[in-house]
Protein backbone atom coordinates (compact mmCIF):
# COMPACT_ATOMS: atom_id res chain seq x y z
CA UNK A 1 0.00 0.00 0.00
CA UNK A 2 2.89 2.36 0.74
CA UNK A 3 4.25 1.90 -2.76
CA UNK A 4 0.81 2.73 -4.18
CA UNK A 5 0.60 5.93 -2.11
CA UNK A 6 4.16 6.89 -3.10
CA UNK A 7 3.35 6.22 -6.77
CA UNK A 8 0.35 8.56 -6.47
CA UNK A 9 2.77 11.16 -5.09
CA UNK A 10 4.93 10.69 -8.16
CA UNK A 11 1.81 11.12 -10.30
CA UNK A 12 1.25 14.47 -8.56
CA UNK A 13 4.87 15.40 -9.29
CA UNK A 14 4.37 14.53 -12.97
CA UNK A 15 1.13 16.54 -13.12
CA UNK A 16 2.76 19.61 -11.58
CA UNK A 17 5.74 19.22 -13.91
CA UNK A 18 3.33 19.28 -16.85
CA UNK A 19 1.74 22.44 -15.45
CA UNK A 20 5.17 24.03 -15.03
CA UNK A 21 6.10 23.16 -18.61
CA UNK A 22 2.77 24.69 -19.72
CA UNK A 23 3.77 28.02 -18.20
CA UNK A 24 2.84 27.92 -14.53
CA UNK A 25 5.40 29.25 -12.02
CA UNK A 26 8.08 26.89 -10.72
CA UNK A 27 6.54 27.04 -7.23
CA UNK A 28 3.72 24.77 -8.48
CA UNK A 29 6.11 21.81 -8.63
CA UNK A 30 5.74 19.09 -6.00
CA UNK A 31 9.10 17.50 -5.23
CA UNK A 32 8.32 15.60 -2.02
CA UNK A 33 4.77 16.15 -0.85
CA UNK A 34 2.24 14.58 1.47
CA UNK A 35 1.80 11.39 -0.52
CA UNK A 36 5.54 10.91 -1.06
CA UNK A 37 6.16 11.23 2.67
CA UNK A 38 3.25 9.05 3.77
CA UNK A 39 4.06 6.36 1.19
CA UNK A 40 7.72 6.23 2.22
CA UNK A 41 6.78 6.12 5.92
CA UNK A 42 4.43 3.23 5.16
CA UNK A 43 7.20 1.40 3.29
CA UNK A 44 9.66 1.95 6.18
CA UNK A 45 7.16 0.75 8.80
CA UNK A 46 7.80 -3.02 8.35
CA UNK A 47 11.43 -2.50 9.42
CA UNK A 48 10.31 -0.74 12.62
CA UNK A 49 7.04 -2.39 13.65
CA UNK A 50 8.69 -5.06 15.81
CA UNK A 51 10.10 -2.40 18.18
CA UNK A 52 8.36 -1.86 21.50
CA UNK A 53 6.15 1.19 22.00
CA UNK A 54 8.80 2.70 24.28
CA UNK A 55 11.60 2.24 21.74
CA UNK A 56 9.41 3.56 18.93
CA UNK A 57 8.58 6.63 21.02
CA UNK A 58 12.25 7.31 21.69
CA UNK A 59 13.13 6.69 18.05
CA UNK A 60 10.34 9.05 16.95
CA UNK A 61 11.92 11.91 18.86
CA UNK A 62 15.04 11.86 16.68
CA UNK A 63 13.36 12.84 13.37
CA UNK A 64 11.08 15.30 15.18
CA UNK A 65 14.00 17.08 16.85
CA UNK A 66 16.13 17.03 13.69
CA UNK A 67 13.19 18.36 11.68
CA UNK A 68 12.72 21.21 14.14
CA UNK A 69 16.44 21.99 13.93
CA UNK A 70 16.27 22.06 10.11
CA UNK A 71 13.20 24.34 10.04
CA UNK A 72 14.17 27.78 8.75
CA UNK A 73 17.63 26.69 7.61
CA UNK A 74 18.61 26.49 3.95
CA UNK A 75 21.41 24.68 2.19
CA UNK A 76 23.26 24.97 -1.11
CA UNK A 77 22.46 21.41 -2.23
CA UNK A 78 19.08 19.95 -3.28
CA UNK A 79 19.67 16.18 -3.08
CA UNK A 80 18.59 15.80 0.57
CA UNK A 81 15.29 17.62 0.05
CA UNK A 82 13.18 14.56 1.03
CA UNK A 83 14.87 14.57 4.44
CA UNK A 84 14.19 18.26 5.11
CA UNK A 85 17.38 19.94 3.88
CA UNK A 86 15.79 22.77 1.91
CA UNK A 87 17.88 24.49 -0.78
CA UNK A 88 18.06 28.28 -0.87
CA UNK A 89 15.14 29.87 -2.71
CA UNK A 90 13.06 26.69 -2.53
CA UNK A 91 9.35 27.05 -3.27
CA UNK A 92 6.74 24.33 -3.79
CA UNK A 93 3.02 23.77 -3.57
CA UNK A 94 3.32 20.74 -1.24
CA UNK A 95 6.27 19.75 0.96
CA UNK A 96 6.34 17.18 3.77
CA UNK A 97 9.94 16.13 4.54
CA UNK A 98 10.74 12.92 6.43
CA UNK A 99 12.26 15.02 9.20
CA UNK A 100 10.10 15.61 11.31
CA UNK A 101 7.16 13.77 9.70
CA UNK A 102 8.55 10.23 10.08
CA UNK A 103 8.63 10.93 13.81
CA UNK A 104 4.97 12.00 13.85
CA UNK A 105 4.10 8.87 11.84
CA UNK A 106 5.88 6.70 14.42
CA UNK A 107 4.16 8.47 17.32
CA UNK A 108 0.84 7.80 15.57
CA UNK A 109 1.74 4.10 15.40
CA UNK A 110 2.60 4.14 19.11
CA UNK A 111 -0.74 5.79 19.91
CA UNK A 112 -2.51 3.15 17.82
CA UNK A 113 -0.82 0.39 19.82
CA UNK A 114 -1.78 1.99 23.12
CA UNK A 115 -5.34 3.04 22.30
CA UNK A 116 -6.20 -0.13 20.33
CA UNK A 117 -4.32 -2.58 22.55
CA UNK A 118 -7.16 -5.12 22.25
CA UNK A 119 -7.22 -4.68 18.46
CA UNK A 120 -10.90 -3.83 18.38
CA UNK A 121 -12.77 -0.62 17.75
CA UNK A 122 -13.50 1.74 20.59
CA UNK A 123 -16.31 3.39 18.66
CA UNK A 124 -19.88 2.47 19.49
CA UNK A 125 -21.57 0.04 17.15
CA UNK A 126 -23.74 1.83 14.65
CA UNK A 127 -26.22 0.79 12.04
CA UNK A 128 -24.19 0.28 8.84
CA UNK A 129 -27.31 1.07 6.79
CA UNK A 130 -27.54 4.57 8.26
CA UNK A 131 -26.89 7.03 5.37
CA UNK A 132 -24.47 9.12 7.44
CA UNK A 133 -22.47 6.05 8.45
CA UNK A 134 -22.46 4.81 4.85
CA UNK A 135 -21.24 8.22 3.65
CA UNK A 136 -18.32 8.34 6.10
CA UNK A 137 -17.48 4.69 5.40
CA UNK A 138 -17.36 5.51 1.69
CA UNK A 139 -15.02 8.44 2.38
CA UNK A 140 -12.73 6.21 4.44
CA UNK A 141 -12.58 3.48 1.80
CA UNK A 142 -11.80 5.97 -0.97
CA UNK A 143 -9.64 8.53 0.86
CA UNK A 144 -6.67 8.29 -1.53
CA UNK A 145 -8.84 9.01 -4.56
CA UNK A 146 -10.62 11.82 -2.74
CA UNK A 147 -7.26 13.35 -1.85
CA UNK A 148 -6.05 13.09 -5.46
CA UNK A 149 -9.20 14.65 -6.86
CA UNK A 150 -9.62 17.46 -4.31
CA UNK A 151 -6.25 19.08 -5.09
CA UNK A 152 -6.86 19.97 -8.75
CA UNK A 153 -10.53 20.67 -8.05
CA UNK A 154 -9.83 23.26 -5.34
CA UNK A 155 -6.88 24.70 -7.28
CA UNK A 156 -9.09 25.10 -10.35
CA UNK A 157 -11.79 26.84 -8.35
CA UNK A 158 -9.21 29.18 -6.80
CA UNK A 159 -7.78 30.01 -10.22
CA UNK A 160 -11.21 31.17 -11.35
CA UNK A 161 -11.03 33.92 -8.73
CA UNK A 162 -7.43 35.02 -9.33
Amino acid sequence: RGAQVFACGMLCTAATLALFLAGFPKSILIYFGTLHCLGLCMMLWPTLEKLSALRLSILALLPILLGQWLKGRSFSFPWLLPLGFVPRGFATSDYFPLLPNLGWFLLGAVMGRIVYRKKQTLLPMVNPKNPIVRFFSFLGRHSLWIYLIHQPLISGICMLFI
Side-chain angles (χ1 to χ4, degrees):
R1 225 180 322 180
Q4 180 185 23
V5 171
F6 188 83
C8 288
M10 294 304 292
L11 183 69
C12 291
T13 296
T16 59
L17 178 61
L19 290 172
F20 170 67
L21 294 174
F24 283 79
K26 189 174 183 178
S27 62
I28 198 160
L29 289 170
I30 297 173
Y31 299 93
F32 197 81
T34 308
L35 295 177
H36 297 91
C37 183
L38 182 58
L40 196 51
C41 288
M42 291 166 73
M43 288 187 282
L44 290 171
W45 175 242
T47 65
L48 302 169
E49 69 180 323
K50 299 276 189 244
L51 295 175
S52 69
L54 177 63
R55 288 186 177 169
L56 272 175
S57 298
I58 294 168
L59 179 64
L61 291 177
L62 185 64
I64 291 171
L65 293 173
L66 282 171
Q68 291 305 314
W69 180 79
L70 286 170
K71 195 177 271 187
R73 288 179 164 70
S74 62
F75 299 86
S76 59
F77 49 86
W79 55 86
L80 292 178
L81 184 71
L83 290 177
F85 293 82
V86 178
R88 287 180 185 90
F90 178 70
T92 183
S93 58
D94 185 23
Y95 182 55
F96 278 78
L98 286 173
L99 304 174
N101 294 303
L102 175 60
W104 298 122
F105 178 91
L106 294 176
L107 285 181
V110 169
M111 289 302 298
R113 283 189 184 171
I114 292 168
V115 173
Y116 292 100
R117 184 166 303 202
K118 295 180 183 176
K119 298 189 189 255
Q120 63 187 44
T121 185
L122 300 176
L123 300 174
M125 286 296 160
V126 293
N127 179 359
K129 294 181 180 179
N130 179 313
I132 296 170
V133 172
R134 287 181 44 220
F135 174 72
F136 283 110
S137 295
F138 174 84
L139 294 178
R141 281 192 309 274
H142 302 290
S143 59
L144 180 59
W145 287 107
I146 292 167
Y147 181 84
L148 289 171
I149 292 167
H150 98 280
Q151 292 286 11
L153 184 67
I154 291 174
S155 296
I157 292 169
C158 289
M159 289 176 145
L160 290 174
F161 296 104
I162 294 177

